[in-house]
Amino acid sequence: MTGTGFVVLPDTAAADEARAVTPWAAPRVLSHASGRPWLVGRWSPGEIRVATAGPVQVAVVGVCPVTATRLSELTARIRTVSDVDALAAALPGSCHVVASVAGQVRVQGSLTGLRRVFHTRINEADIAADRADVLAAMTGAGIDARALAVRVACGGLVPSPLADQPLWSGIAALAPDHCLVWDRERARTLRWWRPPAPEHPLSAGADAVREALTTALHDRAPAEGRLSTDLSGGMDSTSLCFLAARNTPDLLTFRWGEAEAGNDDAAFASRSIGALGHAEHLVVPPAELPSLFADPDALMDTEEPYPFVRTAARTRHTARLLAGRGARRHLAGHGGDELFTPFPGYLHPLLRRRPMTALRHVRGYAALKRWPVLHTLASLVHPGDEAAWWQSQADHLTDPPLRKRRPSLGWGLRPLRAPSWATATATDAAREALRQTADRAQPLSADLGQHQSLVALRTSAPWYRLLARPFAEAGVQLDSPFFDDRVVDAVLGVRVHEHAGPWRYKPLLADAMRGIVPESVLGRSTKGEFSEEASTGLRSNLPAILDLFTDSALAAHGLIDPGELRTQLLSPQADNAMGIALEPLIGCELWLRAATRPTPAWRFDDVRTSSP
């Protein structure tokens, strides 16, 4: 596991005591103006940039394509920690921002949750870190059994804020739109960001998105080594590829070869390759890739369950290949679907403001996706509130799955249903957590469509944060520019219904990239298909998966019924639903085994120090 991470300490005497129990034998240390420790941890030399202006220090951690001069200019304007709002709003990229201002301290992550902040109390002082397991190692925290039960009973699509809860007792997660501010040893949370009103028409919104992405990719190359990027053939990765190629003559593109005849990714990728004459292109044939679900017992992360189990072996293989070609930063199109494919909830405010337009959209979806028109309209007229949605998930957690082809028009991403192998212990604990979430959850936006987009971003961004870890172990920084704060701001400011609907595929991104990306790619309306490959991989690796759960840690904790799981695994599979349900389950099993070993699974000083 990658041993990088950092701890943020207040500018008080208690910080010295907390510094003594950080889990690194020889960490890097940045100090407050007072000389007390401020940031303690392990990071690669180019990962943290610091600017100083008198008693003010600002550190940005992560990907932030801003010049040292510009960062210094922004830092010089800070008089109090409240002034960090303006600095954070001006920074491109996706990064942590940590400020020390005349004895006060402030830290925040990115607004999507790609860069997270966790906090706890130790030795009479509040401290924060970018990793929950670092704080767990410092405090000796045990497992939060209820949080684990939620993961087991609700599967992989538990939405924020419930999904934000760490699996370690006594460790809290900071909401992505909040910052942590210290007054002496005590820290309080303050909201620093609110979503923009979705008021811009499509044409103006496309210009804003184009500018945000162009700025983001202007200086994205690593300080050393090569820049590489995915080139799957889809619009998301291809857009990043062409933007990066403008400033990167030795760009390396990468793609997994397709094993399924119905997957047309190769055809679209080849058209892009022809237009990228100066780049080097690496395509790995299917026969040279590990199968999906290969090595299911390989632990990927110690902080929380790894979400991409089926592709874990391929990810490790990919990271080593890229590192071998000299890549040190790799661009990926993660986040493009969440940003540029609005969720159906946008139809609710549209029905109130422009009923005829909403009805036209519903009819279009009915024709394309066979939505039931009357059911859809009834759900739009009475969407309920967020508290009612969470309560409904608790009430119906063990109900049979809902019919397919029903749009997700509630305050989450889809209805939560417990798998048959989840025990009553797991489902009872999950119900309690769901009901408590109903009491405290607040909409991320008054606009249901915008709320759903933010939920999708905050649910998926932490997954890609974990995906970056195996790349980091190989010495490659995985970078997902679609999760950049300024890019997200630009997209959220566009009228949702103008870049939604059944008639065009990702029209906002297509219009923003016109003249940059080949028209043949911008007009694509299909998406790569990997379901048969997933089914084949599951079948070939089924003996290893069955063996993994023979002596299950989850079963020992009373959370799953291994007999029922075995029955389901050995039953004929009508679709890919089993593979989808297995990924979070295997992730939970491996994480729990690591977390409950007599000797901790992580030793932060025994691994390479690439940036996470």
Side-chain angles (χ1 to χ4, degrees), residues 21 44 62 102 133 218 325 377 384 401 420 431 441 504 575 577 591:
V21 294
S44 56
D133 53 352
H218 177 69
R325 296 291 184 105
L377 290 174
S420 62
R431 278 198 177 97
R504 292 180 63 193
D575 52 31
W591 177 85

Side-chain angles (χ1 to χ4, degrees), residues 125-364:
D126 291 331
I127 64 171
D130 67 329
R131 295 180 59 136
D133 53 352
V134 166
L135 297 181
M138 293 174 67
T139 61
I143 294 169
D144 186 326
R146 194 178 72 170
L148 180 60
V150 168
R151 303 288 185 100
V152 172
C154 298
L157 273 181
V158 183
S160 178
L162 184 55
D164 300 340
Q165 176 61 44
L167 296 179
W168 305 98
S169 297
I171 311 298
L174 184 68
D177 53 7
H178 281 62
C179 61
L180 201 64
V181 177
W182 277 262
D183 292 315
R184 305 297 296 168
E185 286 88 1
R186 286 287 183 180
R188 67 186 191 279
T189 61
L190 297 173
R191 188 166 185 174
W192 69 273
W193 180 86
R194 295 182 186 275
E199 297 175 342
H200 297 304
L202 179 61
S203 57
D207 290 342
V209 170
R210 182 189 185 104
E211 180 179 357
L213 285 172
T214 300
T215 300
L217 273 296
H218 177 69
D219 188 22
R220 210 76 176 200
E224 297 179 357
R226 301 178 67 182
L227 179 70
S228 61
T229 178
D230 285 339
L231 182 57
S232 68
M235 197 185 302
D236 302 334
S237 64
T238 305
S239 296
L240 299 179
C241 206
F242 276 86
L243 287 167
R246 288 174 152 188
N247 305 295
T248 312
D250 64 338
L251 183 70
L252 171 65
T253 75
F254 178 85
R255 183 168 62 85
W256 289 342
E258 299 77 21
E260 300 187 29
N263 191 328
D264 57 354
D265 279 353
F268 285 94
S270 64
R271 298 171 192 175
S272 298
I273 287 173
L276 290 166
H278 297 291
E280 178 185 357
H281 306 287
L282 175 60
V283 180
V284 184
E288 297 179 13
L289 291 168
S291 66
L292 297 183
F293 287 103
D295 302 328
D297 58 347
L299 177 67
M300 293 293 287
D301 205 271
T302 58
E303 184 179 13
E304 60 180 287
Y306 186 74
F308 302 112
V309 169
R310 75 172 71 186
T311 57
R314 285 192 179 185
T315 296
R316 290 190 295 267
H317 183 72
T318 296
R320 290 192 293 266
L321 284 176
L322 293 173
R325 296 291 184 105
R328 292 298 174 265
R329 179 175 292 164
H330 182 70
L331 302 179
H334 309 311
D337 288 340
E338 293 86 342
L339 274 180
F340 298 109
T341 309
F343 286 75
Y346 80 90
L347 292 165
H348 172 250
L350 185 63
L351 184 65
R352 291 185 287 114
R353 298 168 190 160
R354 303 183 182 185
M356 297 307 297
T357 301
L359 184 59
R360 187 168 66 91
H361 280 230
V362 171
R363 286 174 172 168

Side-chain angles (χ1 to χ4, degrees), residues 309-533:
V309 169
R310 75 172 71 186
T311 57
R314 285 192 179 185
T315 296
R316 290 190 295 267
H317 183 72
T318 296
R320 290 192 293 266
L321 284 176
L322 293 173
R325 296 291 184 105
R328 292 298 174 265
R329 179 175 292 164
H330 182 70
L331 302 179
H334 309 311
D337 288 340
E338 293 86 342
L339 274 180
F340 298 109
T341 309
F343 286 75
Y346 80 90
L347 292 165
H348 172 250
L350 185 63
L351 184 65
R352 291 185 287 114
R353 298 168 190 160
R354 303 183 182 185
M356 297 307 297
T357 301
L359 184 59
R360 187 168 66 91
H361 280 230
V362 171
R363 286 174 172 168
Y365 283 120
L368 181 67
K369 297 186 175 183
R370 288 187 280 175
W371 285 7
V373 174
L374 293 180
H375 167 84
T376 300
L377 290 174
S379 299
L380 289 173
V381 171
H382 301 290
D385 58 22
E386 188 174 10
W389 186 86
W390 285 102
Q391 184 64 51
S392 176
Q393 305 318 300
D395 294 343
H396 299 286
L397 183 61
T398 54
D399 287 2
L402 293 178
R403 297 178 184 177
K404 294 183 178 180
R405 305 193 185 281
R406 294 286 178 91
S408 179
L409 297 170
W411 292 86
L413 300 178
R414 62 167 176 78
L416 301 178
R417 294 292 185 268
S420 62
W421 54 75
T423 64
T425 298
T427 56
D428 288 348
R431 278 198 177 97
E432 180 183 5
L434 289 164
R435 290 179 175 130
Q436 288 190 3
T437 304
D439 294 335
R440 63 182 174 88
Q442 296 292 326
L444 300 178
S445 171
D447 183 294
L448 179 54
Q450 193 180 66
H451 167 87
Q452 285 187 327
S453 294
L454 282 166
V455 169
L457 288 167
R458 293 189 182 182
T459 301
S460 63
W463 302 344
Y464 296 111
R465 170 178 169 270
L466 297 180
L467 181 65
R469 302 274 173 80
F471 280 88
E473 289 178 4
V476 180
Q477 185 179 43
L478 183 66
D479 185 2
S480 303
F482 287 126
F483 285 118
D484 282 11
D485 287 4
R486 303 291 76 79
V487 175
V488 173
D489 271 328
V491 174
L492 292 178
V494 183
R495 296 170 186 166
V496 185
H497 73 274
E498 291 196 16
H499 70 105
W503 302 283
R504 292 180 63 193
Y505 182 67
K506 299 184 178 178
L508 178 57
L509 181 59
D511 288 358
M513 292 295 100
R514 187 144 283 116
I516 298 175
V517 175
E519 285 293 327
S520 59
V521 177
L522 298 180
R524 184 181 183 184
S525 60
T526 60
K527 194 170 180 66
E529 171 62 39
F530 296 92
S531 59
E532 179 56 36
E533 192 174 358

